[in-house]
Amino acid sequence: SSSQLQALTANNIAELAIEGVATGKLAGIDSADFAYLSAAAVGRLSSSQVQNLSAEQLKSLTTANIADLKMMGLSSAKIQVLDAEEFGFLSANALKTLSTEQVGYITTAQLNKLVSSNVTGLALEGVSSADIKTLLPNTVGGLSTQQVKGLALSQVQGLSTSQIDKLATQQLSVLTS
């Protein structure tokens, strides 16, 4: 019931079978308690449940539990409310659920927190050439060959020398083909 959800505390929310909570009832869970959900519980949230989380609930997610958050369908405001530090802990699979349009909503600070292990999940078509410049060189080196091949001319022209230096021979070959 709603009153039971509101009574949850940091000590017992981790045990909640959250995937069974009706989408409309998630609002009854105090936003601060979302910090105590396990990573597995956050990963079991349906995309519909995630879309219906409040901005405060999303902001409460932590680096320890955000990895498998289903981002599909999140509005620009809800994507941008995610702390950049936590955003950097999203898995490649979580980032794959973002549409090209949603990728365009990612802030520069969030983009800068991506690393080579999760950037492979990102649809780079949605990243502006200005934001491509802000990626760390090692993150650019972590791009898949398909991602490099899909870069627009303006994105390639925006790469710095240090970013290009991190590209492997195979990645460079698709730029010149």
Side-chain angles (χ1 to χ4, degrees):
S1 73
S2 294
S3 60
Q4 290 170 317
L5 289 173
Q6 289 172 340
L8 289 171
T9 66
N11 293 328
N12 59 15
I13 193 166
E15 298 170 24
L16 176 67
I18 198 157
E19 67 276 9
V21 176
T23 300
K25 293 196 178 207
L26 285 173
I29 300 175
D30 185 72
S31 59
D33 289 335
F34 270 76
Y36 299 100
L37 284 172
S38 68
V42 172
R44 287 191 307 267
L45 286 168
S46 70
S47 56
S48 176
Q49 286 175 309
V50 172
Q51 289 172 28
N52 284 289
L53 294 178
S54 71
E56 291 75 26
Q57 289 169 324
L58 286 168
K59 280 197 280 190
S60 293
L61 295 174
T62 68
T63 58
N65 67 7
I66 198 169
D68 293 319
L69 181 70
K70 293 174 184 76
M71 307 280 289
M72 185 181 347
L74 280 182
S75 68
S76 61
K78 287 187 177 178
I79 289 171
Q80 292 173 351
V81 80
L82 293 171
D83 182 85
E85 192 67 33
E86 279 77 33
F87 195 85
F89 279 83
L90 287 166
S91 68
N93 286 335
L95 291 171
K96 283 179 186 174
T97 66
L98 288 168
S99 69
T100 302
E101 181 182 353
Q102 287 175 301
V103 170
Y105 303 146
I106 297 172
T107 68
T108 302
Q110 290 169 327
L111 196 60
N112 285 330
K113 292 296 181 178
L114 297 179
V115 294
S116 58
S117 62
N118 62 3
V119 73
T120 56
L122 200 59
L124 291 176
E125 303 85 48
V127 178
S128 73
S129 54
D131 283 340
I132 286 283
K133 293 179 199 178
T134 68
L135 288 174
L136 295 172
N138 285 337
T139 302
V140 172
L143 296 174
S144 70
T145 303
Q146 275 306 112
Q147 285 176 302
V148 173
K149 187 175 184 176
L151 290 174
L153 179 59
S154 62
Q155 291 172 314
V156 173
Q157 290 172 334
L159 293 173
S160 70
T161 305
S162 57
Q163 288 172 316
I164 292 170
D165 285 345
K166 293 295 181 180
L167 294 174
T169 304
Q170 188 177 16
Q171 291 166 309
L172 288 170
S173 69
V174 297
L175 284 177
T176 59
S177 60

